[in-house]
Amino acid sequence: GAGPMTQKERQERSKREILRAAQEEFGASSYENVSMEGICTRHGISKGMMYHYYANKDQLFLRCVEEVFNGLGSFLREECAGLVEKSGRECLKQYLLARERYFQKYPKEKNIFENALFHPPKQLREQIQQLRRPLREYNSWLLQQVVSKLPLRPGITEAQARLYVEGIEYLFWELLRQYRPGMEFDLHQVSLAGEELLDMILFGVARQDAAK
């Protein structure tokens, strides 16, 4: 069987243990309300061990944020692998749903993600943007594929359409919650409501000749 752990294995295990504890805490609270001491106390981690691996709370938070960005990125790559063959509209819907599926599956990660993007500690803004770059690049690439399949309105460029769709991505779930208040998360329900909303987002609500 397995022999005694090597020092390297022990260190890896300790680091993982601390990271898991930090994910629990940051996943349930805001950045401000988490402290290194609190993590140690609640998860039975010695302060000596904590500070041996992580110099401060910022370092620990960034590590958690990186995990979420990487996790979401891998999940989207897997879920969206076959999408590029589908129509632009279908592709966009599946992409938006995939992201929500990830956060339904991992609610703690959702909290960390939203805190990092929408309430980042001032001193970490730059670093968070750096960590997010691979995810943004993948998103941009995927949305480029989506937009290149949409028959665009005369006068709208692909670049404009992509920026619009990128903006929508962050608003979509808020819009959906307001569009269908109290909707239980059920993929079928969400999918139907999402279809309706997506149609309005993509095609507008007013007839162009009537909107003058």
Side-chain angles (χ1 to χ4, degrees), residues 113-135:
F113 182 85
E114 289 182 345
N115 278 330
L117 285 197
F118 307 126
H119 321 285
K122 276 198 188 58
Q123 74 279 16
L124 299 182
R125 273 188 194 149
E126 286 286 292
Q127 283 150 294
I128 288 170
Q129 289 312 325
Q130 289 287 340
L131 291 174
R132 189 175 158 219
R133 189 171 287 157
L135 184 59

Side-chain angles (χ1 to χ4, degrees), residues 37-123:
E37 279 70 24
I39 297 174
C40 290
T41 309
R42 270 195 289 279
H43 297 269
I45 293 165
S46 80
K47 277 190 195 172
M49 182 166 101
M50 169 67 95
Y51 287 105
H52 177 68
Y53 293 112
Y54 296 98
N56 52 41
K57 181 168 88 163
D58 283 359
Q59 228 185 29
L60 197 49
F61 182 64
L62 287 173
R63 196 58 203 85
C64 290
V65 169
E66 186 179 17
E67 285 282 300
V68 175
F69 288 164
N70 291 345
L72 177 58
S74 315
F75 185 84
L76 288 177
R77 278 187 179 81
E78 227 162 89
E79 294 281 297
C80 299
L83 284 188
V84 188
E85 287 86 73
K86 300 197 159 127
S87 74
R89 188 166 156 269
E90 183 58 21
C91 196
L92 184 57
K93 186 187 109 187
Q94 291 305 331
Y95 167 71
L96 290 167
L97 281 176
R99 191 185 140 125
E100 192 62 6
R101 264 204 303 275
Y102 177 77
F103 287 136
Q104 279 298 321
K105 208 168 160 183
Y106 305 108
K108 288 190 193 76
E109 278 78 353
K110 181 178 183 151
N111 189 52
I112 294 171
F113 182 85
E114 289 182 345
N115 278 330
L117 285 197
F118 307 126
H119 321 285
K122 276 198 188 58
Q123 74 279 16

